[in-house]
């Protein structure tokens, strides 16, 4: 009898064969301001480019393995400008994503008015499977949801590609 357990994010990314794209549209994601990586960053810590072992694991290992299988991993971030403190935190650590093989671009929210965007952040695998990221009003994760709906996948593909075309590569984006 087939399992009714939905696939996990790790299952989805390990099954994709061509592309894994991620669209982020929030200026703040819930974090503990007093402990953890964001608090450390607020206290002056910055990842050391020469100390790869100290970077965000196991995520970067997963990206590196995925890219190593020939999958293009791309992330686009839509941000309000001037950027939030949390976006500055993301920006400062993004070189680790790039070093692991992710392609990352940034787009000012002002440049998105003519783009039909879905209501939620998402991952899209091989342009057919959507992993919706749901959040509460204060930015806490409200869980993910997997969709194989052809219309939703098409919307996400078109939205991501429109954002990607307008966005600026991480190494050229100047944080404002």
């Amino acid at each position: 009898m087939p399992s009714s357990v939905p696939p996990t994010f790790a299952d989805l990314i390990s099954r994709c064969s061509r592309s894994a794209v991620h669209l982020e549209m929030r200026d703040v994601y819930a974090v503990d301001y007093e402990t953890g990586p964001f608090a450390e960053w607020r206290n002056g810590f910055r990842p050391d480019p020469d100390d790869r072992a100290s970077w965000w694991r196991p995520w970067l290992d997963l990206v590196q393995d995925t890219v190593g299988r020939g999958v293009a991993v791309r992330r686009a971030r839509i941000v309000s400008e001037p950027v939030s403190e949390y976006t500055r935190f993301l920006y400062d650590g993004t070189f680790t994503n790039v070093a692991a093989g992710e392609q990352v671009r940034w787009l000012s929210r002002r440049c998105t008015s003519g783009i039909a965007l879905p209501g939620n952040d998402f991952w899209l695998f091989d342009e057919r499977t959507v992993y919706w990221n749901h959040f509460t009003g204060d930015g806490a994760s409200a869980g993910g949801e997997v969709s194989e709906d052809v219309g939703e996948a098409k919307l996400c593909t078109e939205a991501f590609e429109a954002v990607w075309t307008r966005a600026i590569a991480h190494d050229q984006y100047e944080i404002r």
Side-chain angles (χ1 to χ4, degrees):
M1 174 171 269
S3 172
S4 63
V5 176
T8 65
F9 177 85
D11 292 335
L12 294 169
I13 201 165
S14 69
R15 291 179 197 162
C16 72
S17 61
R18 296 181 316 279
S19 66
V21 302
H22 185 39
L23 183 61
E24 297 178 350
M25 299 181 283
R26 297 181 59 90
D27 290 318
V28 177
Y29 294 87
V31 294
D32 187 335
Y33 283 80
E34 296 183 17
T35 63
F38 185 61
E40 293 166 3
W41 177 86
R42 291 178 92 204
N43 288 325
F45 173 80
R46 299 298 182 268
D48 180 350
D50 296 323
D51 185 11
R52 289 179 73 104
S54 70
W55 298 353
W56 186 24
R57 305 291 179 197
W59 172 250
L60 296 173
D61 295 325
L62 179 61
V63 169
Q64 194 166 359
D65 291 346
T66 303
V67 170
R69 292 189 290 111
V71 176
V73 179
R74 298 184 294 159
R75 178 187 305 258
R77 291 184 170 134
I78 296 173
V79 295
S80 298
E81 293 174 332
V83 300
S84 68
E85 182 182 33
Y86 188 81
T87 298
R88 286 184 182 280
F89 161 69
L90 290 176
Y91 181 84
D92 282 350
T94 295
F95 77 89
T96 64
N97 298 71
V98 173
E102 252 187 271
Q103 300 170 58
V104 180
R105 292 187 182 180
W106 302 80
L107 183 62
S108 170
R109 191 169 311 283
R110 289 182 153 284
C111 298
T112 65
S113 296
I115 300 173
L117 296 169
N120 295 292
D121 289 11
F122 64 85
W123 277 91
L124 177 64
F125 302 99
D126 292 335
E127 297 181 351
R128 70 172 183 256
T129 304
V130 181
Y131 183 89
W132 296 110
N133 296 114
H134 298 293
F135 295 95
T136 64
D138 64 2
S141 175
E145 176 184 4
V146 177
S147 172
E148 297 279 344
D149 182 87
V150 174
E152 290 179 11
K154 183 177 187 278
L155 170 66
C156 291
T157 298
E158 291 171 354
F160 185 87
E161 293 305 328
V163 168
W164 190 256
T165 298
R166 295 180 186 190
I168 299 167
H170 175 70
D171 65 348
Q172 296 172 4
Y173 180 71
E174 293 180 23
I175 201 153
R176 296 173 179 80

